[in-house]
Amino acid sequence: MARKVAIVGAGVGGLATAARLAHDGYDVEVFEKLPECGGRNHLLEDAGFKFDMGPSFVLMPDFFEEVFSYCKEALKDYLDLRVIDPSYKIIYADGQTLTVYKDSRRTREELERIEPGAAGKFDQFIRETARIYGVIRPLLYKCVTYKSLTNPYYWALAGKIRALESYWQLARKYFKSDKLCYAFTFEAMFMGVSPYQAPAFYSVITYADHVQKIAHSMGGMYRIPLALEKLAKKFGAKINYNCPIEGIAQPGRQISLKQGDRQIKADYAVVNADYAYAQTDLLKRNIPEFKYSCSTYLIYLGLKKKLDKLAHHNLFFSSDLNRNLDQIFKDKVIPEDPSFYAHVPTVTDVSLAPAGKDILYLLIPVPNLMNPREALSGHEERIRKLVFDKINCLCGCNLDELIEVEHCFYPNDFIGRYNLKYGATFGLAHNLTQSAFFRPANFDSKIKNLYYVGASTQPGGGLPVVIAGSRIVADLIKQGEAS
């Protein structure tokens, strides 16, 4: 009889794990508290507008291809991933812009406008990030712990990946201007951490941006969890929605999941719920004083007509980025002049909105809810006006007059909908002491055959990395069976 695997959560990590283990012959059953799959990779539909509520771009497409090839399937039969051009546009507070193109020659020309000589430095920077990527990529499929540090191989590794330098320090070695240093480290914000705190090895994201390029999932980013759901079901996985798990224990040899009055027994359990939530609420444990990512204030707009001068991805930088970051991560106050991200997927994918209309998804980083000094509610109107004014100035429009549909998502919503501690959008922060060996492992130290996959466990956050985590878990389960 096939061994039973129960998976808590139908996010991307849970679905990818389900697909792998179902393909390998396990009896897989998934339990999801929401009425649909995807977790933070969710979809909101209203009046013909299709809003991707979470992840908005595809990096490292080979990680997506790997999960399908693992199951002897072809990614192209499930997803249409298209590289976009331009990759993104940065709008500085003084009105200057920097556009990053698919063609690196055009990007170099853009860099030279801002800092003469930067094109050559860009080439050097990318060579260094490519080298770091080459070292790190194989490690993204391994679970490492404190015990791994007894292996001398990992001592040398710290220097090779520049673990003791920050993302910002690495960029500063190549670029003189703050404008370009921020342009090559802003990706840290998509991990919910300051570039001053993120280790330099996270520059592999910059490598992916510029070398592997940025892709969009045609039909919307929600097609990704739908594809993984289809893949898992093809091999017999059963997925239960509106089915929250309330506790996990191991009273005997099997693991028991509490769901209402029901006890679900399994040989293995994989938790795709947020790691901190799983420890405190499902396992009733005390947890260390983790560092958490920032939260975000999200605005989803369905517009009556197309906007001009915005790319698919746009970053509006604060007039004082250093102060902006300090207010979020140190002072825990709502930023006076926030940087923000504007996503216009209908530039590439017109299927996401009614004909002639646009989607504008705005993401404003704000402090998480762990001991905040201010509430967003007291600043929401000011933040909204500031963001709208900057877009109006660039595009020559009046956003308020163009809005047909509007939805907002707040830090507290990340707690209520996704069980994210303190509304930390990206889970545990990606600082040095919560990366690699120091990030929660993919297996439980106390309950045998209990595993974890997701943004707050190894190898880290972001869709491709979480998918790599699903491979780690599948391999650990199979290795356990073989031992």
Side-chain angles (χ1 to χ4, degrees):
M1 181 181 293
R3 301 272 273 170
K4 173 83 172 183
V5 180
I7 298 179
V8 182
V12 165
L15 293 170
T17 306
R20 294 181 194 275
L21 293 174
H23 170 268
D24 290 338
Y26 291 87
D27 177 10
V28 177
E29 191 165 5
V30 181
F31 303 90
E32 169 57 53
K33 78 161 193 167
L34 297 174
E36 65 281 309
C37 67
R40 279 168 276 185
N41 193 167
H42 179 51
L43 180 73
L44 170 65
E45 295 188 72
D46 189 357
F49 294 95
K50 298 177 182 178
F51 301 98
D52 281 310
M53 297 189 71
S56 59
F57 52 88
V58 172
L59 289 180
M60 305 177 182
D62 49 323
F63 283 74
F64 293 82
E65 290 169 358
E66 184 275 333
V67 68
F68 288 92
S69 63
Y70 181 102
C71 298
K72 306 298 187 291
E73 296 285 311
L75 179 144
K76 65 180 178 61
D77 294 332
Y78 291 80
L79 291 168
D80 180 5
L81 303 182
R82 297 189 193 178
V83 173
I84 64 172
D85 193 27
S87 298
Y88 51 88
K89 183 176 184 176
I90 293 172
I91 301 93
Y92 295 100
D94 63 5
Q96 190 172 29
T97 63
L98 168 65
T99 303
V100 172
Y101 292 97
K102 177 182 176 183
D103 183 347
S104 293
R105 291 174 298 180
R106 296 184 69 187
T107 301
R108 291 187 188 94
E109 292 172 1
E110 287 282 291
L111 298 175
E112 285 290 329
R113 284 195 302 104
I114 294 174
E115 182 183 313
K121 294 296 184 181
F122 168 74
D123 292 339
Q124 295 173 29
F125 179 69
I126 293 301
R127 280 197 294 272
E128 177 61 4
T129 59
R131 184 195 64 78
I132 295 172
Y133 180 80
V135 177
I136 283 182
R137 191 186 187 285
L139 301 177
L140 296 177
Y141 288 100
K142 294 180 180 179
C143 179
V144 290
T145 65
Y146 290 108
K147 292 181 180 179
S148 304
L149 291 172
T150 60
N151 185 339
Y153 168 78
Y154 291 112
W155 305 348
L157 187 68
K160 290 180 181 178
I161 64 174
R162 308 182 83 145
L164 299 181
E165 293 178 51
S166 72
Y167 205 163
W168 177 267
Q169 288 171 330
L170 178 61
R172 181 57 90 189
K173 291 181 184 295
Y174 296 90
F175 305 105
K176 297 175 182 177
S177 69
D178 283 357
K179 282 185 174 180
L180 292 193
C181 285
Y182 281 118
F184 286 101
T185 61
F186 76 84
E187 290 92 345
M189 292 294 286
F190 285 99
M191 301 185 298
V193 68
S194 163
Y196 300 113
Q197 298 298 320
F201 53 75
Y202 285 115
S203 61
V204 297
I205 306 172
T206 307
Y207 164 82
D209 280 357
H210 289 273
V211 178
Q212 297 182 340
K213 311 305 178 184
I214 297 175
H216 171 71
S217 174
M218 298 302 290
M221 292 293 291
Y222 191 59
R223 291 291 179 92
I224 294 170
L226 288 179
L228 292 170
E229 178 192 51
K230 179 180 178 181
L231 185 67
K233 286 182 174 180
K234 178 172 183 174
F235 295 104
K238 181 181 178 183
I239 303 177
N240 304 279
Y241 293 111
N242 298 304
C243 194
I245 296 300
E246 298 155 1
I248 300 173
Q250 192 176 41
R253 295 186 63 183
Q254 288 189 306
I255 295 174
S256 179
L257 276 58
K258 183 177 185 300
Q259 202 272 311
D261 296 330
R262 178 184 173 204
Q263 293 292 330
I264 301 160
K265 303 291 186 181
D267 300 297
Y268 302 93
V270 179
V271 177
N272 184 218
D274 179 64
Y275 180 83
Y277 166 83
Q279 296 300 304
T280 58
D281 290 61
L282 300 184
L283 291 159
K284 312 303 179 187
R285 295 172 177 171
N286 294 321
I287 58 174
E289 291 187 5
F290 289 125
K291 299 290 185 183
Y292 294 85
S293 75
C294 66
S295 191
T296 51
Y297 166 37
L298 305 174
I299 305 172
Y300 306 97
L301 304 175
L303 304 180
K304 298 173 186 176
K305 69 173 190 176
K306 296 284 186 181
L307 290 176
D308 294 325
K309 299 184 180 179
L310 287 178
H312 187 129
H313 301 292
N314 309 270
L315 295 125
F316 287 76
F317 282 177
S318 167
S319 57
D320 188 343
L321 264 165
N322 194 7
R323 179 170 172 75
N324 178 200
L325 293 167
D326 279 350
Q327 288 179 328
I328 295 170
F329 295 103
K330 293 181 181 179
D331 303 334
K332 301 298 289 285
V333 297
I334 305 302
E336 293 174 8
D337 178 24
S339 299
F340 64 94
Y341 164 64
H343 180 219
V344 192
T346 35
V347 167
T348 302
D349 191 346
V350 296
S351 73
L352 299 176
K357 300 182 180 182
D358 249 347
I359 281 177
L360 178 59
Y361 157 3
L362 300 167
L363 180 154
I364 304 103
V366 296
N368 64 43
L369 300 178
M370 185 179 189
N371 303 317
R373 291 179 58 194
E374 295 180 326
L376 174 61
S377 57
H379 296 266
E380 182 179 357
E381 186 175 342
R382 174 181 66 82
I383 295 293
R384 176 193 167 92
K385 184 178 186 306
L386 188 151
V387 168
F388 278 31
D389 284 350
K390 289 189 177 184
I391 292 174
N392 289 341
C393 181
L394 178 70
C395 299
C397 66
N398 185 329
L399 270 185
D400 283 308
E401 293 179 355
L402 297 180
I403 296 172
E404 182 175 324
V405 170
E406 178 173 357
H407 296 273
C408 295
F409 204 84
Y410 301 97
N412 271 315
D413 293 323
F414 286 100
I415 299 174
R417 182 174 178 84
Y418 303 126
N419 295 329
L420 291 171
K421 286 284 184 187
Y422 307 114
T425 302
F426 309 96
L428 297 188
H430 289 78
N431 53 22
L432 179 60
T433 57
Q434 290 182 172
S435 297
F437 313 94
F438 311 112
R439 201 164 186 81
N442 302 94
F443 60 89
D444 194 83
S445 61
K446 297 178 180 178
I447 296 180
K448 186 179 180 182
N449 297 334
L450 174 61
Y451 300 89
Y452 303 95
V453 64
S456 289
T457 57
Q458 293 186 31
L463 292 180
V465 181
V466 167
I467 288 172
S470 72
R471 175 64 182 265
I472 292 174
V473 170
D475 286 348
L476 287 171
I477 289 175
K478 289 188 294 181
Q479 289 165 12
E481 291 239 318
S483 62

